[in-house]
Each structure stands twice: as structure tokens, then as C-alpha cells.
Amino acid sequence: MAVMITGGARSGKSDFAERYAMRMAESGIYIATSQSWDDEMTQRIARHRRSREAAAFPWRTIEEPLDIAAILQRLDQEAAEEGSGCQRPAVLVDCLTLWLTNWILKLDAEEDPAAGPTGPGDCQSAKPQGMEAVADELIAAVAAYSGPLLLVTNEVGSGIVPAYPLGRRFRDEAGRLNRRLAAVCEQAFLVVAGFPLDLKTLAFRLEDE
């Protein structure tokens, strides 16, 4: 079962995702997408790593900023080879907004190798067709994944319109990605001030009227 969990910064979405994973399985695989652009991010990554190591729930961490689709395909293949007798771990991807940032930076660097990504504010927008193809691959992998899967993402389009082109591009890409993820996931939660709201249960459907 695939579950999308979204929310604002410090809304409690990652905490909810981890607690939900503990209900779904006896162990977990944590796919971390962060990259260290500065000292603060390095410290943040280390803090999250220590927190998982100290938890009673057994986490196996995979640090992968880009190839999430390939990892999901590999984990599915490994589970198929082990057979149905083994309980699947819950896979938690945290977070897809950082994954999107990593890809935008990578695609921009490929378009202009002399620029090279040094941080989110130093890049131009990625090629639309490149990002679309990457998103297609991820959505297909999520839809095909047969084990428990939790995907953490962010709501970034609820504030002011960004003043610079890359910010507007990123906001639009994130919104499109979240809509596509929610469509292929069995559950979708919005976490607000620590409270998870089940979006698919609460959603109004025009076709039902």
C-alpha cells in the first residue's frame, strides 16, 4: 500500500510517517534524499540519523538523493525472490520535495555544465521534458510497488508567489508531483499542526453528485 503524507514545514509529517510505518511493519527502510549543501544541513542530517539509530523500531537507512525509482524496483525484486513467507519492511521516503530539488539542480547542471549546482538559489530552471520524464519514472515505480510504502512531501504553494523564476518553477513542479502521487496512492494525508487529515476520506467528489 502506498501512502502520501504532505504538510508544511515542521507540521509533524515526518513524525507521523515514522509512527505509521511502525504500525504497518516490524521493521523499516528509510530512504533519505537530503544532500549537504551547507553546515546546517550536515548537522540536520546527522541529527536525523542519530534519532533513527536510537529508536526502538529497527530502521535501515539508504541515503539516495536521486534514484528513488530504481531503489523501489530493486526492493520489490528482492522481496519477490525471498518469497511470501517474509514480512515486508515499511519503506519510508523522506522527502520527495528535496528529491525534486536535487533533480532540478542536476538537470540544470547538465544543461549548463559550466554553472554547476552549488545551491538552490544558484540555478536556472530544469528542462521541462527532463523533469517530466523523471517524474513519470517515479510515479510508475510507486504505482507498481507491492509493499508498504510511505512518501513524505511538502506543501509549498500555499504562500506568496516566489519572486524569482526558479522558485516559481519549483513551486509548480512540486504541486504537479503531489497531485500525481496522491492519484496513485491508496491513502493521502495532510498534516497540520501535528494532526493528520485523511484527504481521500474527506474529499468531495463531483462524480458522486
Side-chain angles (χ1 to χ4, degrees):
M1 178 176 71
V3 180
M4 189 191 85
I5 300 165
T6 188
R10 294 293 179 266
S11 61
K13 58 187 180 298
S14 293
D15 179 66
F16 170 68
E18 292 179 16
R19 289 187 288 113
Y20 199 0
M22 294 174 189
R23 292 185 56 180
M24 299 174 75
E26 296 178 355
S27 64
I29 298 175
Y30 202 108
I31 303 177
T33 62
S34 296
Q35 295 191 85
S36 297
W37 296 113
D38 50 44
D39 291 341
E40 189 276 336
M41 182 59 76
T42 299
Q43 295 172 7
R44 184 187 297 240
I45 292 171
R47 187 166 59 249
H48 283 294
R49 189 183 299 118
R50 289 193 300 269
S51 176
R52 290 193 299 273
E53 291 172 352
F57 187 74
W59 288 106
R60 168 192 165 199
T61 299
I62 299 175
E63 296 186 0
E64 176 49 60
L66 296 167
D67 294 333
I68 304 302
I71 290 177
L72 294 179
Q73 293 163 0
R74 188 184 77 232
L75 292 175
D76 236 3
Q77 180 61 37
E78 290 174 356
E81 293 172 355
E82 290 176 356
S84 58
C86 298
Q87 186 188 43
R88 298 282 296 268
V91 175
L92 196 165
V93 180
D94 194 358
C95 74
L96 288 177
T97 313
L98 286 173
W99 170 87
L100 177 65
T101 301
N102 297 336
W103 267 109
I104 289 177
L105 295 176
K106 175 179 170 60
L107 292 171
D108 180 75
E110 290 175 352
E111 183 176 342
D112 183 10
T118 58
D122 297 322
C123 301
Q124 304 300 317
S125 61
K127 295 179 182 178
Q129 64 269 29
M131 195 63 244
E132 183 178 359
V134 171
D136 287 347
E137 184 180 23
L138 175 68
I139 297 299
V142 169
Y145 193 74
S146 58
L149 173 63
L150 301 100
L151 305 153
V152 177
T153 183
N154 287 268
E155 288 302 305
V156 299
S158 300
I160 62 174
V161 176
Y164 52 97
L166 176 61
R168 294 191 292 273
R169 166 73 176 172
F170 171 76
R171 179 200 60 172
D172 292 348
E173 292 285 7
R176 281 190 285 266
L177 179 65
N178 286 355
R179 287 178 63 184
R180 296 185 64 190
L181 281 171
V184 299
C185 288
E186 284 83 353
Q187 291 182 312
F189 292 93
L190 171 65
V191 182
V192 181
F195 290 91
L197 306 176
D198 188 336
L199 297 177
K200 293 206 171 187
T201 298
L202 298 171
F204 173 76
R205 294 175 173 82
L206 287 171
E207 59 270 21
D208 294 339
E209 292 299 307

